[in-house]
Amino acid sequence: MKEYNIVITGVGGQGILTAANILGWAALRAGYKVRVGEIHGMSQRFGSVIAYVRFGEEVYGAMVPEGKADVILSFEPVEALRYINYLKKGGLVFTNARPIPPVQVSMGIARYPSLEEIKRIVEEDFGGRFLAFDAEKLAIEAGHVVTTNVVLIGALTQTPGFPLSEDHVRDVIKLNVPPKAVEINMRAFDLGVKTCERTCLLFNFPWVFDCP
Amino acid sequence: MVKVTDIVLWDKPGERVLLLGNQAIVRGALEGNIAVFAAYPGTPSSEVTDTMAAVAKRAGVYMEYSTNEKVAFETALSASWAGLRAMTAMKHVGLNVAMDSFMTVSYMGVNGGFIVMVADDPSMWSSQNEQDTRAIGKFANIPVLEPSSVQEAKDIVKYGFEISEKYGQMVILRTTTRSSHMRGDVVLGELPEEIKQGKRKFGEFKKNPERYVDIPAFQRKKHLWLLETIEKYRKEFESSPFNWIEGDGKVGIIAPGLSYAYVKEALAWLGMENIRILKLGTPFPVPYALLEKFFDGLEKVLIVEELEPVVEEQVKLWAYDNDVRIPIHGKDLVPRVYEMTTRRAVEAIAKFLGVSTPIKFEEIDEKYKKVQEIVPPRPPSLCPACPHRNTFFAIRKAAGPKAIYPSDIGCYTLGVLPPLKTVDTTIAMGGSIGIAHGLSIALNGALSEEQRKTGKEKKVIVATIGDSTFFHTGLPALANAIYNRSNVLIVVMDNLVTAMTGDQPNPGTGETPHGEGRRILIEEVAAAMGADFVAVVDPYDIKATYETIKKALEVEGVSVVVSRRACALYRIGQLRREGKQWPIYQVNEEKCTGCKVCINAYGCPAIYWDAEKKKARVDPLMCWGCGGCAQVCPFGAFEKVREGEL
Ligand code: SF4
Ligand code: SF4
């Protein structure tokens, strides 16, 4: 594999940088050259956040170039649209379905687009594939909402063409979390893995995604 | 994945690990046997400081969070003067604070290797401007090192110590947001015995007034030394392992720092071969001998660099002086603002070579522009339960929308956004008090002036400043305001931590990386300086905060109100680690009238609007239980429920 590009987006505080770090380590353990790009500072304060994970035989810059992302992994639906310019033709937008409306929306100065609208833009305007599921619900089912990022990562490992093995990623997560949280995180990971099927049923988009 | 602090201290030479640029810099400093590190945190340099703080004790390094960059610079410098290897780290605007000492010390030189690490922020991800520190290196005649990868970020530190000692001059290590906050694979090197054993190193100071006293008679001679020294560095850099020429062909590209990575990627994407590259790890001074070798036989050259044409100007000057008459491109093809990207490198190189780009970026841009029209903005906001929100809310209620609100650099700058809108100016750390005082003089006159009393209606001015910022540069400004009989209210928003850069301690916290420090109370300082009114409030009690501010506003002179409550993000982090819970608030739908006060005037991000039911609601996953909403809701609709009951 020459190079694989992941853009991770979401809202500050959702564990995006942790997710990027986990995927980066998993790629390192798989023997690839790795670059992870992130922005700190204001990033935790519920603003829009983006991180990049790139790996392959040779990678240089930390940012995924526009039009080159294999996957946009989005922790919040509208954030996928905000960075849709990174998606390559045929790339996958994989998103948590639960919206976090910005204050501007509550105040009535901005509108929040629907999931269907987002899906249409991804597919029609950018030639991508779109998939959404409620990762947060699964995280709560696993034991704690903070594991949402692990649910998403678990699901990501099942996407077609994803080059890292489930076990590499699982091992890294195990090492990354405090011992008492390992169980919850593994449960979250497995729920994410299994969700592949469920997602297809839930959203009734069997054409988007080959269920294993 | 082991803890980063362990990796940074790992005695495993040859091990391949994933490190953040800033963490790699710390590892490099340890491999280079650093003894003293002092800094004030500032994004994007903060993780250098935090990582060092986490390992300092075990590595026998003295580490301090200084109150500002100038003090940090002086602390680390003294260690170098005492013969120890030392380093300070700051963001680009931090160097402006240290500038006074920095410019003069350039004439005096150093003893132990001394690195001034400066992190620039092209595109201003979390900064007020995007100055290019390489230009300051050139201005001050101090050599600048710049890594092109995380591996180099580590290795270049050790190199920096060595050449700093060799010529007795400090060096700047310049990074950018991208190189500081990029994770990449790094191969660990050897750690020195002293670091492994955690043995604290001590130096010795040999008096030498001719060198260490900056009276004109001494300094006149030393200015010459400075100029001679920078030429020695220029020679040295001819054979620096961080500079090289690669590839061959009739066209050449010069790529300093991280731009090298973008150029390599762009060339691969464009499928271009037969290009000669000059990779520069030393953007100032550019080694002339390397230029000579590089230019030999070339027909045209492009310089791909971020921000200012620092290398371009040096190269063009050299070309003119040496009668090199081929086209040299730079800022005519590469933008001078914002950060370098692969796309920018691709576009510049494509134009330079007269080829087309591999994908049509304009097409993506066009579609993207349309999409952005329907994407709602999501700027960062004050966290749920942030004490600053309550303080701002109380201030605005007490002082009204006509009052003028100078503020400062920190989380609380976010008070500029609706609905709070309690920030009218910010310029730089500590600037709020200076601006407030200046406005007070300009609009109302000084208290000591007779005519003020006859004047028109008094303008109310309320400055806000954070605890860390107060100690950083607020202190001299406060002394100035009190001394000159200003008429302002200064609210110090003390959240007991330097929150925006990642929860570092400060004098108001009292903690240090080596254990307990002595805590300094802001209210005591203000009282000792002679403030006319001093009070401490808890912003979680909005009504009491409001009443105290009302009282303070009636006082003529300088009033200082300390609004003290721990940073919510910090507190929640602690509770989570301890496995503890916090209360969660919910909207009682019966009581909620849909007045939207909680959204339109208060704006906690955990509160959202249910458009169908026309009621406010709380996202239980975001509520951090401060109870602020219950205090601002006129109808008592917010009620406390316990976590787990949902
Ligand atoms: S980090 Fe702390 S101080 Fe900053 S917005 Fe959040 S709660 Fe407020
Ligand atoms: S919803 Fe209410 S209690 Fe919860 S964080 Fe916001 S203001 Fe505080």
Side-chain angles (χ1 to χ4, degrees):
Chain A
M1 194 227 9
K2 258 190 110 65
E3 98 182 26
Y4 196 80
N5 293 312
I6 309 171
V7 168
I8 310 179
T9 74
V11 178
Q14 285 190 305
I16 288 146
L17 301 191
T18 312
N21 199 12
I22 287 170
L23 291 169
W25 271 96
L28 185 86
R29 290 176 149 230
Y32 292 118
K33 292 249 175 72
V34 186
R35 296 285 181 272
V36 178
E38 42 198 72
I39 289 286
H40 297 203
M42 279 291 175
S43 60
Q44 266 176 309
R45 276 85 186 166
F46 298 88
S48 153
V49 177
I50 181 166
Y52 311 89
V53 182
R54 322 185 60 196
F55 50 90
E57 280 158 31
E58 192 58 90
V59 280
Y60 294 99
M63 281 176 290
V64 172
E66 285 142 280
K68 261 204 161 181
D70 295 278
V71 179
I72 294 180
L73 179 66
S74 188
F75 285 34
E76 200 279 348
V78 96
E79 293 310 313
L81 269 201
R82 199 184 305 283
Y83 302 105
I84 192 72
N85 53 335
Y86 288 101
L87 192 71
K88 76 172 186 195
K89 277 219 171 71
L92 175 68
V93 170
F94 196 28
T95 184
N96 180 12
R98 206 184 73 94
I100 303 178
V103 179
Q104 283 74 7
V105 170
S106 290
M107 289 179 73
I109 14 188
R111 189 182 70 90
Y112 195 99
S114 71
L115 217 53
E116 288 71 33
E117 223 174 324
I118 298 174
K119 173 178 181 291
R120 192 196 54 73
I121 291 170
V122 170
E123 291 177 348
E124 287 174 21
D125 297 351
F126 286 83
R129 296 167 299 153
F130 181 83
L131 199 61
F133 72 105
D134 194 340
E136 217 153 82
K137 209 174 100 205
L138 296 179
I140 295 169
E141 200 178 313
H144 205 297
V145 63
V146 296
T147 59
T148 306
N149 55 1
V150 173
V151 173
L152 279 160
I153 293 174
L156 179 69
T157 60
Q158 303 305 306
T159 56
F162 187 75
L164 300 177
S165 83
E166 208 181 297
D167 289 335
H168 267 131
V169 183
R170 206 190 293 268
D171 286 351
V172 169
I173 296 174
K174 262 190 217 153
L175 286 168
N176 183 41
V177 299
K180 60 177 195 267
V182 168
E183 215 189 298
I184 293 186
N185 275 280
M186 285 304 107
R187 222 179 299 143
F189 188 86
D190 291 335
L191 280 172
V193 168
K194 271 192 242 138
T195 295
C196 167
E197 299 166 3
R198 261 212 251 173
T199 306
C200 297
L201 293 177
L202 217 65
F203 283 88
N204 202 16
F205 302 146
W207 62 89
V208 209
F209 191 75
D210 290 328
C211 299
Chain B
M1 181 171 9
V2 209
K3 279 221 303 265
V4 160
T5 42
D6 294 328
I7 297 173
V8 169
L9 270 174
W10 254 2
D11 185 19
K12 291 188 181 177
E15 183 91 5
R16 216 170 126 247
V17 296
L18 189 70
L19 284 183
L20 196 67
N22 279 346
Q23 295 162 346
I25 286 170
V26 173
R27 171 71 189 199
L30 296 178
E31 287 180 10
N33 207 10
I34 188 173
V36 169
F37 179 91
Y40 179 83
T43 315
S45 76
S46 311
E47 297 78 14
V48 178
T49 333
D50 296 343
T51 310
M52 192 60 97
V55 300
K57 243 195 211 162
R58 279 192 282 163
V61 175
Y62 172 77
M63 187 279 154
E64 72 171 36
Y65 286 107
S66 309
T67 45
N68 70 30
E69 295 82 357
K70 181 171 182 285
V71 178
F73 176 86
E74 286 154 3
T75 305
L77 167 74
S78 314
S80 161
W81 278 356
L84 302 173
R85 287 189 170 180
M87 183 162 150
T88 177
M90 57 194 74
K91 66 184 296 177
H92 57 314
V93 289
L95 183 56
N96 303 347
V97 177
M99 199 71 170
D100 199 5
S101 299
F102 174 82
M103 289 302 289
T104 296
V105 166
S106 66
Y107 289 32
M108 298 173 165
V110 301
N111 295 331
F114 182 34
I115 295 177
V116 181
M117 185 268 187
V118 186
D120 286 356
D121 190 13
S123 279
M124 298 169 274
W125 296 105
S126 52
S127 305
Q128 55 269 56
N129 69 24
E130 52 180 357
Q131 64 196 43
D132 189 331
T133 296
R134 301 173 309 156
I136 294 183
K138 194 165 155 237
F139 173 47
N141 281 299
I142 295 298
V144 181
L145 305 177
E146 194 183 6
S148 72
S149 66
V150 180
Q151 179 74 49
E152 278 196 351
K154 174 180 86 63
D155 297 335
I156 215 165
V157 177
K158 200 169 164 205
Y159 173 74
F161 280 141
E162 280 159 13
I163 56 169
S164 169
E165 265 163 28
K166 187 164 170 193
Y167 300 105
Q169 179 64 292
M170 59 183 158
V171 299
I172 293 175
L173 167 59
R174 185 243 192 180
T175 64
T176 58
T177 305
R178 227 30 96 166
S179 48
S180 267
H181 290 165
M182 158 163 84
R183 278 175 215 276
D185 34 300
V186 178
V187 178
L188 300 180
E190 297 271 357
L191 287 175
E193 265 323 298
E194 281 156 303
I195 295 280
K196 277 195 253 178
Q197 287 164 12
K199 227 174 88 203
R200 177 80 183 271
K201 297 173 274 280
F202 292 95
E204 209 182 310
F205 180 71
K206 292 197 201 77
K207 291 190 196 194
N208 181 357
E210 288 213 19
R211 181 167 171 199
Y212 298 125
V213 179
D214 65 355
I215 55 173
F218 299 156
Q219 293 288 83
R220 269 182 209 121
K221 284 183 228 146
K222 298 301 299 239
H223 195 175
L224 292 171
W225 171 83
L226 169 70
L227 296 180
E228 281 160 19
T229 306
I230 197 66
E231 290 313 313
K232 287 187 188 149
Y233 275 107
R234 197 188 297 281
K235 282 257 7 111
E236 173 77 35
F237 289 161
E238 285 169 13
S239 54
S240 162
F242 299 94
N243 293 337
W244 66 76
I245 297 170
E246 65 182 55
D248 218 346
K250 293 261 171 272
V251 291
I253 297 177
I254 301 178
L258 200 55
S259 294
Y260 171 73
Y262 297 116
V263 165
K264 290 287 279 183
E265 178 155 11
L267 290 175
W269 202 6
L270 283 161
M272 299 305 293
E273 278 158 25
N274 298 329
I275 306 268
R276 198 184 299 171
I277 300 176
L278 171 58
K279 185 266 182 203
L280 271 183
T282 64
F284 179 78
V286 172
Y288 292 149
L290 265 187
L291 285 183
E292 217 159 282
K293 243 206 245 153
F294 174 71
F295 269 79
D296 187 33
L298 286 184
E299 283 163 7
K300 58 176 179 175
V301 167
L302 170 69
I303 297 146
V304 180
E305 67 187 314
E306 219 165 8
L307 299 184
E308 291 299 301
V310 174
V311 169
E312 184 180 336
E313 283 174 6
Q314 295 177 71
V315 170
K316 283 182 172 167
L317 197 64
W318 169 86
Y320 187 89
D321 287 349
N322 289 279
D323 246 332
V324 174
R325 293 288 176 269
I326 60 163
I328 300 173
H329 295 276
K331 289 297 157 192
D332 53 336
L333 297 179
V334 182
R336 193 168 171 170
V337 293
Y338 316 141
E339 77 170 310
M340 180 62 62
T341 61
T342 302
R343 171 184 175 170
R344 286 181 150 197
V346 164
E347 286 176 329
I349 295 170
K351 251 190 241 156
F352 172 65
L353 297 176
V355 299
S356 52
T357 55
I359 57 174
K360 293 212 177 67
F361 292 113
E362 299 78 24
E363 254 173 40
I364 300 184
D365 287 347
E366 216 172 285
K367 282 189 264 174
Y368 182 62
K369 221 173 116 203
K370 264 192 238 136
V371 172
Q372 286 324 287
E373 281 161 20
I374 67 156
V375 177
R378 192 193 300 275
S381 74
L382 295 172
C383 303
C386 174
H388 298 332
R389 175 175 297 100
N390 295 5
T391 311
F392 279 135
F393 185 84
I395 291 175
R396 208 177 150 83
K397 205 160 157 34
K402 279 216 227 117
I404 303 170
Y405 299 111
S407 189
D408 226 297
I409 308 282
C411 288
Y412 43 91
T413 312
L414 293 169
V416 70
L417 299 172
L420 293 167
K421 294 200 274 187
T422 322
V423 171
D424 291 324
T425 70
T426 62
I427 47 170
M429 295 288 284
S432 59
I433 301 179
I435 295 289
H437 166 64
L439 285 174
S440 161
I441 298 296
L443 305 175
N444 302 325
L447 272 189
S448 54
E449 287 168 20
E450 270 313 308
Q451 74 264 40
R452 196 198 74 77
K453 305 242 153 64
T454 65
K456 39 187 178 43
E457 191 196 347
K458 185 183 125 186
K459 272 274 174 206
V460 174
I461 298 164
V462 185
T464 43
I465 185 167
D467 46 341
S468 188
T469 316
F470 177 80
F471 289 110
H472 180 280
T473 27
L475 282 171
L478 179 62
N480 184 61
I482 293 174
Y483 163 59
N484 286 304
R485 310 294 321 264
S486 202
N487 195 349
V488 292
L489 165 59
I490 297 159
V491 180
V492 186
M493 304 172 110
D494 183 2
N495 62 4
L496 299 163
V497 84
T498 312
M500 194 163 106
T501 45
D503 303 337
Q504 294 83 1
N506 65 53
T509 326
E511 285 294 312
T512 81
H514 298 279
E516 197 103 335
R518 189 192 287 255
R519 185 171 176 205
I520 304 174
L521 288 172
I522 296 160
E523 59 274 23
E524 286 180 2
V525 173
M529 275 193 190
D532 298 287
F533 175 92
V534 178
V536 183
V537 294
D538 173 6
Y540 274 11
D541 186 341
I542 298 179
K543 186 146 173 275
T545 305
Y546 161 79
E547 274 159 10
T548 306
I549 289 170
K550 263 270 177 236
K551 225 195 298 163
L553 283 172
E554 275 156 29
V555 177
E556 295 281 300
V558 176
S559 318
V560 176
V561 171
V562 183
S563 184
R564 180 173 293 139
R565 181 51 93 147
C567 161
L569 186 60
Y570 185 64
R571 182 178 58 97
I572 288 300
Q574 261 174 343
L575 289 177
R576 267 202 187 124
R577 266 184 302 264
E578 290 163 12
K580 289 200 188 124
Q581 301 193 329
W582 52 88
I584 284 172
Y585 282 67
Q586 244 188 0
V587 176
N588 181 332
E589 283 184 21
E590 309 272 281
K591 290 191 183 164
C592 177
T593 63
C595 72
K596 275 192 148 180
V597 165
C598 55
I599 289 169
N600 290 346
Y602 186 66
C604 169
I607 306 172
Y608 66 97
W609 183 242
D610 185 333
E612 260 166 50
K613 289 197 176 147
K614 298 223 175 339
K615 309 254 172 208
R617 291 182 70 168
V618 173
D619 180 342
L621 301 176
M622 280 168 78
C623 174
W624 289 347
C626 67
C629 49
Q631 294 175 53
V632 301
C633 173
F635 304 98
F638 288 90
E639 289 166 359
K640 186 158 50 171
V641 288
R642 292 294 310 178
E643 196 193 26
E645 284 170 8
L646 287 167

